[in-house]
Amino acid sequence: MSKRTYGIWLFSALVLAWLFWTDPDKGDSTKDMLLNLISVGLAFTAAHLVRKFYLDYIKLQEHVEEAKKGNIGSGLVVLGTIIFTCVAALIFSTRAHAADVRTYVPVGAKQYCPMLMQEKDKLWPDHPDPAALCSLVEQESCISLTHPTCWNPKSRLKTSREEGAGFGQITRAYTADGRIRFDALQAAKQLEPSLNEWTWSNVYDRPDLQLRAVTAMNRDCFKRLSRIVTDPAEVLRMCDAAYNGGYEGMQQERRACGQRAGCNPQKWVANVANVCLKSKTKWKGYGASACDINRGHVDFVFNVRHDKYLPFVRST
């Protein structure tokens, strides 16, 4: 092995050691990065094999030599082959990077889902389905499972009309003239005295209080709705819809359901879920309507993201 090869391996080992040493997630982020690099390498290997299979008749090296001599036809062949290979690699890479939302646990969840379970134990020890709290945070904060804001207390959605903060996207909304129209942080503080020190100036710096607020808000809804809806599983789904779209809006939909033949306001699936009074016009930039987003929220929290968080519940 040449000195150059030794140097490359040594430099790579040092870089790898530095990445693990500085990893804030005890190696998990570095492992994810390495898996991504490996998947990219495998994607280009697969693309090369596909190119060899479908374009084997093209003597690429000969065309490269001809292109160097100024042969435009050979140059176009080389360019076309490169484009074919890159497109194939992109296809394979996209498939390789597509994390399965049902099974892949984001890096941040491994740190903060246990913290959320601790808050749940303090505020709501008899929660009937604690994994739903973790899947709710994922639904709120994860644009994708590998996005920097996923399970990140610094997650922020800011527009001219509203700001959503942290794990639960705690929201404050503004009127057209800049006055605060709605402040979920202040509302959460009224539900739980231990949130007293939480403010908009420290909202992104207190992951514990963010998770406490998520727990308190869902606990309050559960207590209110359990007085009139008997099945805890149905209550949780309705409260998830309320977390996303508002308690009063959810209650109006229950009331409308009760006025329809065959619709049971005690049940969410195939009953209240089918009576959506929210806007069905697609929002610009979202590609979905308020109704689609609200119903999709419940579906993803309980039917898609939920089960992978059960081990976190069992370990607490």
Side-chain angles (χ1 to χ4, degrees), residues 218-231:
N218 281 275
R219 178 197 62 185
D220 178 69
C221 176
F222 187 86
K223 286 182 177 180
R224 293 174 66 185
L225 199 57
S226 290
R227 300 172 188 150
I228 48 181
V229 177
T230 56
D231 187 340

Side-chain angles (χ1 to χ4, degrees), residues 18-269:
W18 180 80
L19 287 172
F20 273 104
W21 180 262
T22 58
D23 193 329
D25 301 308
K26 300 179 180 179
D28 285 339
S29 292
T30 302
K31 290 175 185 176
D32 275 0
M33 182 191 69
L34 291 175
L35 287 174
N36 286 338
L37 290 174
I38 291 171
S39 67
V40 170
L42 291 174
F44 272 96
T45 300
H48 173 71
L49 293 175
V50 168
R51 195 268 299 174
K52 292 286 288 184
F53 180 80
Y54 285 103
L55 305 177
D56 187 51
Y57 59 90
I58 295 178
K59 306 302 180 184
L60 189 60
Q61 189 58 43
E62 294 179 8
H63 283 290
V64 170
E65 295 301 325
E66 288 297 317
K68 290 179 179 179
K69 298 175 183 179
N71 189 318
I72 296 177
S74 291
L76 291 174
V77 170
V78 173
L79 179 61
T81 304
I82 292 173
I83 292 174
F84 177 90
T85 304
C86 288
V87 170
L90 179 62
I91 293 172
F92 285 116
S93 180
T94 300
R95 290 179 177 273
H97 279 79
D100 187 344
V101 70
R102 295 180 183 274
T103 58
Y104 179 83
V105 177
V107 172
K110 298 171 185 177
Q111 176 181 357
Y112 290 113
C113 188
M115 183 185 291
L116 177 55
M117 291 300 98
Q118 291 172 3
E119 294 297 333
K120 182 272 301 179
D121 289 341
K122 289 185 288 187
L123 270 63
W124 193 2
D126 57 347
H127 190 303
D129 186 7
L133 290 172
C134 293
S135 54
L136 182 150
V137 169
E138 181 179 299
Q139 180 67 21
E140 288 289 330
S141 66
C142 298
I143 297 173
S144 73
L145 297 182
T146 56
H147 194 276
T149 64
C150 186
W151 272 98
N152 187 336
K154 305 291 187 182
S155 176
R156 187 188 192 202
L157 175 64
K158 183 75 165 65
T159 68
S160 59
R161 65 180 186 180
E162 65 179 5
E163 176 180 4
F167 296 123
Q169 288 297 285
I170 302 299
T171 303
R172 58 178 171 181
Y174 304 92
T175 60
D177 58 2
R179 290 179 293 109
I180 292 181
R181 178 173 59 83
F182 171 74
D183 190 334
L185 188 150
Q186 292 300 323
K189 291 171 70 171
Q190 294 176 12
L191 301 176
E192 177 52 47
S194 63
L195 290 170
N196 185 54
E197 59 186 293
W198 200 34
T199 67
W200 279 101
S201 62
N202 68 7
V203 63
Y204 294 102
D205 301 319
R206 294 296 303 270
D208 57 329
L209 298 185
Q210 290 183 25
L211 297 173
R212 189 174 304 170
V214 169
T215 305
M217 293 167 71
N218 281 275
R219 178 197 62 185
D220 178 69
C221 176
F222 187 86
K223 286 182 177 180
R224 293 174 66 185
L225 199 57
S226 290
R227 300 172 188 150
I228 48 181
V229 177
T230 56
D231 187 340
E234 301 295 342
V235 176
L236 288 176
R237 284 164 173 76
M238 292 178 192
C239 283
D240 187 81
Y243 187 93
N244 173 261
Y247 186 85
E248 293 305 322
M250 179 273 297
Q251 282 288 62
Q252 290 174 11
E253 290 170 344
R254 289 189 62 249
R255 191 172 296 111
C257 170
Q259 299 300 313
R260 297 188 182 186
C263 190
N264 186 352
Q266 289 278 322
K267 294 185 178 298
W268 175 260
V269 177

Side-chain angles (χ1 to χ4, degrees), residues 261-291:
C263 190
N264 186 352
Q266 289 278 322
K267 294 185 178 298
W268 175 260
V269 177
N271 286 274
V272 180
N274 291 346
V275 184
C276 187
L277 303 181
K278 296 172 177 59
S279 172
K280 296 178 176 61
T281 302
K282 289 185 178 181
W283 286 355
K284 185 178 180 181
Y286 285 84
S289 67
C291 184

